[in-house]
Amino acid sequence: MAISNKPKIGWIGAGRMGYEMALRLARAGCDLRVYNRTRAKAEPLAQYGAKIAARVTELAGCDVVFCMVSTYADVKEVVAGEGGLLSQAKKAAKGERAAPRILVECSSISLEGSAELRGILAGHGTELLAAPVSGNAKVIKAGKLSFACSGPRAVFDEVSPLLHLIAPAASYVGEGELARIVKICHNVFLGVVIQSLCEITILAQKAGVPRHALLDFINQSVMGSVFSRYKTPALVNLDFKVTFTPSLLRKDLDLGLDAGRRFEVPLPLASLTRDLIQSMIGSGMSEQDFATLLLQQARASGIELEPENVPVSDGLA
C-alpha cells in the first residue's frame, strides 16, 4: 500500500527492530529519511529508496519522526541532547520548521521518562504519540508486529496509516503515557511466561518426555500461543540467536516492579522472575537470547541439555 500526498517521514534507530520497521515504510514508497548513530547499519535502506541522514538534525523538518532506540537515556540524547533532533530550533530561520510536528516514540521507556519527553517536545510545538511495540525483527518480517499507542487521539488517527504499513495491529489505549504501562505489563508477562515455559519443559524432559513432544502438545492445546510456538525451535534445538537480550528483559521487569510500587500492586511472580534473570546475567549468560533461561533451569535440575535436532515450526511462516 503506497501513501498519497506523502508526508516527510524521519526515522531514528536502525538496530534489529528499527531497521525492519523502517524497511516496511521504505518498501511502501514513503518519503523516508533514516538516521542511525552507526551509519553503516542504516545504509542498506538506501536501496529501497530511503535517504540516509548524516545527522539527526536533518530530520527536524519532517512531518513525522519515528524513534526506536534502546533506553530513555538514548531517546533523550537523540531528541533533546547536544546535536539532537531539537538542537537547531533556536537557530532556525523565521518560517522554517525547527522540529517535526509529530514524534512517534516506539522504545520501551518508563512512564516518567515518557512524560518528561512529552513536556520537552511540547515546548517545541511537537506532539508525542507513545507507540511501543510487541514483537521482534522476525515478527516484523512475518507481518505480525503490534503497536500500543497513547497520546492525543487526533494524532493517533493521523499517523494510523503509517503505523499500519509497519504492523497489522495498532491499539489506541488512551491519553498520556498509558501505552507505556501497557508495554510494561506486556513485557512482565513475557518474562513470567518464558520462565514458566522453561520450568515445565525441563520437568517433562527429566520425567522422560522429549522437549519437542511436550511443546507440540502445548502448542496445539488451549494453552498454546503465538509466543509458545515462536519459542519452540529455541527450546527444542537450543538455537539461542538473539531476539531479545536478558539485560533488556531485566530492564523491563525493573520498570514493571517500579510501576507496581507506584500503583501499590504486588507482583510476586515478576519479582521472582527478575531475580532469575539477574542470576542468569550474573553467571555470564547475557549475550544470547533470553530463552537461555532454559539452560539455567536445566542446570538447577541437574541435567545438561543437547539439541534434539528435530524440525519444528515457529508458527510465523
PDB file of all heavy atoms in Angstrom, residues 118-140:
ATOM      1  N   ARG A 118       7.397  14.166  26.616  1.00  0.00           N
ATOM      2  CA  ARG A 118       6.211  14.872  26.107  1.00  0.00           C
ATOM      3  C   ARG A 118       6.314  16.367  26.422  1.00  0.00           C
ATOM      4  O   ARG A 118       5.992  17.216  25.588  1.00  0.00           O
ATOM      5  CB  ARG A 118       4.937  14.266  26.713  1.00  0.00           C
ATOM      6  CG  ARG A 118       3.646  14.761  26.044  1.00  0.00           C
ATOM      7  CD  ARG A 118       2.413  14.074  26.635  1.00  0.00           C
ATOM      8  NE  ARG A 118       2.441  12.629  26.437  1.00  0.00           N
ATOM      9  CZ  ARG A 118       2.092  12.020  25.303  1.00  0.00           C
ATOM     10  NH1 ARG A 118       1.672  12.736  24.274  1.00  0.00           N
ATOM     11  NH2 ARG A 118       2.146  10.703  25.201  1.00  0.00           N
ATOM     12  N   GLY A 119       6.775  16.694  27.627  1.00  0.00           N
ATOM     13  CA  GLY A 119       6.926  18.091  28.001  1.00  0.00           C
ATOM     14  C   GLY A 119       7.996  18.798  27.178  1.00  0.00           C
ATOM     15  O   GLY A 119       7.811  19.942  26.755  1.00  0.00           O
ATOM     16  N   ILE A 120       9.121  18.120  26.958  1.00  0.00           N
ATOM     17  CA  ILE A 120      10.197  18.704  26.143  1.00  0.00           C
ATOM     18  C   ILE A 120       9.695  18.996  24.737  1.00  0.00           C
ATOM     19  O   ILE A 120       9.912  20.086  24.187  1.00  0.00           O
ATOM     20  CB  ILE A 120      11.405  17.755  26.092  1.00  0.00           C
ATOM     21  CG1 ILE A 120      12.077  17.657  27.466  1.00  0.00           C
ATOM     22  CG2 ILE A 120      12.415  18.208  25.035  1.00  0.00           C
ATOM     23  CD1 ILE A 120      13.113  16.554  27.577  1.00  0.00           C
ATOM     24  N   LEU A 121       9.000  18.042  24.148  1.00  0.00           N
ATOM     25  CA  LEU A 121       8.504  18.196  22.787  1.00  0.00           C
ATOM     26  C   LEU A 121       7.452  19.296  22.693  1.00  0.00           C
ATOM     27  O   LEU A 121       7.430  20.076  21.731  1.00  0.00           O
ATOM     28  CB  LEU A 121       7.926  16.870  22.284  1.00  0.00           C
ATOM     29  CG  LEU A 121       8.947  15.760  22.046  1.00  0.00           C
ATOM     30  CD1 LEU A 121       8.247  14.421  21.869  1.00  0.00           C
ATOM     31  CD2 LEU A 121       9.805  16.058  20.825  1.00  0.00           C
ATOM     32  N   ALA A 122       6.588  19.365  23.706  1.00  0.00           N
ATOM     33  CA  ALA A 122       5.535  20.388  23.697  1.00  0.00           C
ATOM     34  C   ALA A 122       6.139  21.785  23.637  1.00  0.00           C
ATOM     35  O   ALA A 122       5.571  22.695  23.010  1.00  0.00           O
ATOM     36  CB  ALA A 122       4.644  20.232  24.924  1.00  0.00           C
ATOM     37  N   GLY A 123       7.288  21.970  24.285  1.00  0.00           N
ATOM     38  CA  GLY A 123       7.958  23.257  24.258  1.00  0.00           C
ATOM     39  C   GLY A 123       8.447  23.650  22.877  1.00  0.00           C
ATOM     40  O   GLY A 123       8.787  24.817  22.639  1.00  0.00           O
ATOM     41  N   HIS A 124       8.478  22.684  21.953  1.00  0.00           N
ATOM     42  CA  HIS A 124       8.889  22.965  20.578  1.00  0.00           C
ATOM     43  C   HIS A 124       7.724  22.793  19.596  1.00  0.00           C
ATOM     44  O   HIS A 124       7.932  22.744  18.380  1.00  0.00           O
ATOM     45  CB  HIS A 124      10.042  22.040  20.175  1.00  0.00           C
ATOM     46  CG  HIS A 124      11.313  22.328  20.915  1.00  0.00           C
ATOM     47  ND1 HIS A 124      11.546  21.866  22.193  1.00  0.00           N
ATOM     48  CD2 HIS A 124      12.413  23.056  20.566  1.00  0.00           C
ATOM     49  CE1 HIS A 124      12.747  22.278  22.586  1.00  0.00           C
ATOM     50  NE2 HIS A 124      13.287  23.002  21.627  1.00  0.00           N
ATOM     51  N   GLY A 125       6.520  22.654  20.132  1.00  0.00           N
ATOM     52  CA  GLY A 125       5.345  22.519  19.276  1.00  0.00           C
ATOM     53  C   GLY A 125       5.190  21.152  18.641  1.00  0.00           C
ATOM     54  O   GLY A 125       4.474  21.006  17.639  1.00  0.00           O
ATOM     55  N   THR A 126       5.828  20.142  19.204  1.00  0.00           N
ATOM     56  CA  THR A 126       5.765  18.787  18.655  1.00  0.00           C
ATOM     57  C   THR A 126       4.872  17.909  19.518  1.00  0.00           C
ATOM     58  O   THR A 126       5.026  17.861  20.743  1.00  0.00           O
ATOM     59  CB  THR A 126       7.176  18.164  18.584  1.00  0.00           C
ATOM     60  OG1 THR A 126       7.997  18.963  17.733  1.00  0.00           O
ATOM     61  CG2 THR A 126       7.129  16.746  18.038  1.00  0.00           C
ATOM     62  N   GLU A 127       3.948  17.203  18.884  1.00  0.00           N
ATOM     63  CA  GLU A 127       3.067  16.258  19.582  1.00  0.00           C
ATOM     64  C   GLU A 127       3.778  14.916  19.712  1.00  0.00           C
ATOM     65  O   GLU A 127       4.506  14.493  18.808  1.00  0.00           O
ATOM     66  CB  GLU A 127       1.771  16.058  18.801  1.00  0.00           C
ATOM     67  CG  GLU A 127       0.942  17.318  18.624  1.00  0.00           C
ATOM     68  CD  GLU A 127      -0.072  17.500  19.735  1.00  0.00           C
ATOM     69  OE1 GLU A 127       0.130  16.944  20.839  1.00  0.00           O
ATOM     70  OE2 GLU A 127      -1.077  18.183  19.492  1.00  0.00           O
ATOM     71  N   LEU A 128       3.540  14.234  20.838  1.00  0.00           N
ATOM     72  CA  LEU A 128       4.121  12.910  21.059  1.00  0.00           C
ATOM     73  C   LEU A 128       3.040  11.844  21.006  1.00  0.00           C
ATOM     74  O   LEU A 128       2.016  11.957  21.686  1.00  0.00           O
ATOM     75  CB  LEU A 128       4.824  12.848  22.418  1.00  0.00           C
ATOM     76  CG  LEU A 128       5.323  11.456  22.854  1.00  0.00           C
ATOM     77  CD1 LEU A 128       6.428  10.950  21.927  1.00  0.00           C
ATOM     78  CD2 LEU A 128       5.808  11.485  24.301  1.00  0.00           C
ATOM     79  N   LEU A 129       3.284  10.811  20.214  1.00  0.00           N
ATOM     80  CA  LEU A 129       2.485   9.591  20.290  1.00  0.00           C
ATOM     81  C   LEU A 129       3.387   8.501  20.848  1.00  0.00           C
ATOM     82  O   LEU A 129       4.385   8.126  20.224  1.00  0.00           O
ATOM     83  CB  LEU A 129       1.955   9.175  18.915  1.00  0.00           C
ATOM     84  CG  LEU A 129       0.980   7.988  18.961  1.00  0.00           C
ATOM     85  CD1 LEU A 129      -0.362   8.414  19.556  1.00  0.00           C
ATOM     86  CD2 LEU A 129       0.772   7.374  17.576  1.00  0.00           C
ATOM     87  N   ALA A 130       3.083   8.043  22.059  1.00  0.00           N
ATOM     88  CA  ALA A 130       3.809   6.911  22.637  1.00  0.00           C
ATOM     89  C   ALA A 130       3.312   5.659  21.921  1.00  0.00           C
ATOM     90  O   ALA A 130       2.119   5.392  21.897  1.00  0.00           O
ATOM     91  CB  ALA A 130       3.543   6.820  24.132  1.00  0.00           C
ATOM     92  N   ALA A 131       4.243   4.888  21.327  1.00  0.00           N
ATOM     93  CA  ALA A 131       3.826   3.756  20.493  1.00  0.00           C
ATOM     94  C   ALA A 131       4.779   2.569  20.628  1.00  0.00           C
ATOM     95  O   ALA A 131       5.384   2.122  19.647  1.00  0.00           O
ATOM     96  CB  ALA A 131       3.727   4.195  19.033  1.00  0.00           C
ATOM     97  N   PRO A 132       4.944   2.025  21.848  1.00  0.00           N
ATOM     98  CA  PRO A 132       5.781   0.834  21.999  1.00  0.00           C
ATOM     99  C   PRO A 132       5.164  -0.356  21.268  1.00  0.00           C
ATOM    100  O   PRO A 132       3.964  -0.361  20.981  1.00  0.00           O
ATOM    101  CB  PRO A 132       5.813   0.617  23.516  1.00  0.00           C
ATOM    102  CG  PRO A 132       4.557   1.267  24.013  1.00  0.00           C
ATOM    103  CD  PRO A 132       4.344   2.448  23.128  1.00  0.00           C
ATOM    104  N   VAL A 133       5.994  -1.364  20.984  1.00  0.00           N
ATOM    105  CA  VAL A 133       5.548  -2.470  20.138  1.00  0.00           C
ATOM    106  C   VAL A 133       5.685  -3.816  20.839  1.00  0.00           C
ATOM    107  O   VAL A 133       6.443  -3.972  21.793  1.00  0.00           O
ATOM    108  CB  VAL A 133       6.340  -2.508  18.820  1.00  0.00           C
ATOM    109  CG1 VAL A 133       6.126  -1.229  18.032  1.00  0.00           C
ATOM    110  CG2 VAL A 133       7.834  -2.735  19.067  1.00  0.00           C
ATOM    111  N   SER A 134       4.956  -4.789  20.320  1.00  0.00           N
ATOM    112  CA  SER A 134       5.099  -6.186  20.720  1.00  0.00           C
ATOM    113  C   SER A 134       5.634  -6.960  19.532  1.00  0.00           C
ATOM    114  O   SER A 134       5.010  -6.987  18.470  1.00  0.00           O
ATOM    115  CB  SER A 134       3.742  -6.768  21.142  1.00  0.00           C
ATOM    116  OG  SER A 134       3.846  -8.176  21.328  1.00  0.00           O
ATOM    117  N   GLY A 135       6.799  -7.576  19.707  1.00  0.00           N
ATOM    118  CA  GLY A 135       7.387  -8.358  18.628  1.00  0.00           C
ATOM    119  C   GLY A 135       8.880  -8.133  18.541  1.00  0.00           C
ATOM    120  O   GLY A 135       9.457  -7.388  19.326  1.00  0.00           O
ATOM    121  N   ASN A 136       9.509  -8.787  17.592  1.00  0.00           N
ATOM    122  CA  ASN A 136      10.935  -8.617  17.338  1.00  0.00           C
ATOM    123  C   ASN A 136      11.150  -8.601  15.841  1.00  0.00           C
ATOM    124  O   ASN A 136      10.187  -8.558  15.060  1.00  0.00           O
ATOM    125  CB  ASN A 136      11.737  -9.732  18.028  1.00  0.00           C
ATOM    126  CG  ASN A 136      11.271 -11.116  17.614  1.00  0.00           C
ATOM    127  OD1 ASN A 136      11.013 -11.367  16.446  1.00  0.00           O
ATOM    128  ND2 ASN A 136      11.151 -12.021  18.571  1.00  0.00           N
ATOM    129  N   ALA A 137      12.406  -8.619  15.418  1.00  0.00           N
ATOM    130  CA  ALA A 137      12.698  -8.461  13.992  1.00  0.00           C
ATOM    131  C   ALA A 137      12.030  -9.541  13.146  1.00  0.00           C
ATOM    132  O   ALA A 137      11.493  -9.264  12.071  1.00  0.00           O
ATOM    133  CB  ALA A 137      14.213  -8.470  13.781  1.00  0.00           C
ATOM    134  N   LYS A 138      12.031 -10.778  13.639  1.00  0.00           N
ATOM    135  CA  LYS A 138      11.423 -11.863  12.864  1.00  0.00           C
ATOM    136  C   LYS A 138       9.909 -11.700  12.803  1.00  0.00           C
ATOM    137  O   LYS A 138       9.280 -11.999  11.780  1.00  0.00           O
ATOM    138  CB  LYS A 138      11.795 -13.209  13.487  1.00  0.00           C
ATOM    139  CG  LYS A 138      11.501 -14.397  12.577  1.00  0.00           C
ATOM    140  CD  LYS A 138      12.125 -15.664  13.115  1.00  0.00           C
ATOM    141  CE  LYS A 138      11.888 -16.831  12.157  1.00  0.00           C
ATOM    142  NZ  LYS A 138      12.489 -18.089  12.665  1.00  0.00           N
ATOM    143  N   VAL A 139       9.325 -11.221  13.882  1.00  0.00           N
ATOM    144  CA  VAL A 139       7.880 -10.969  13.907  1.00  0.00           C
ATOM    145  C   VAL A 139       7.516  -9.864  12.914  1.00  0.00           C
ATOM    146  O   VAL A 139       6.499  -9.937  12.219  1.00  0.00           O
ATOM    147  CB  VAL A 139       7.432 -10.602  15.333  1.00  0.00           C
ATOM    148  CG1 VAL A 139       5.982 -10.135  15.353  1.00  0.00           C
ATOM    149  CG2 VAL A 139       7.604 -11.804  16.267  1.00  0.00           C
ATOM    150  N   ILE A 140       8.364  -8.836  12.837  1.00  0.00           N
ATOM    151  CA  ILE A 140       8.129  -7.762  11.867  1.00  0.00           C
ATOM    152  C   ILE A 140       8.150  -8.325  10.454  1.00  0.00           C
ATOM    153  O   ILE A 140       7.263  -8.038   9.640  1.00  0.00           O
ATOM    154  CB  ILE A 140       9.181  -6.647  12.012  1.00  0.00           C
ATOM    155  CG1 ILE A 140       9.130  -6.029  13.408  1.00  0.00           C
ATOM    156  CG2 ILE A 140       8.958  -5.558  10.955  1.00  0.00           C
ATOM    157  CD1 ILE A 140      10.344  -5.174  13.738  1.00  0.00           C
TER     158      ILE A 140
END
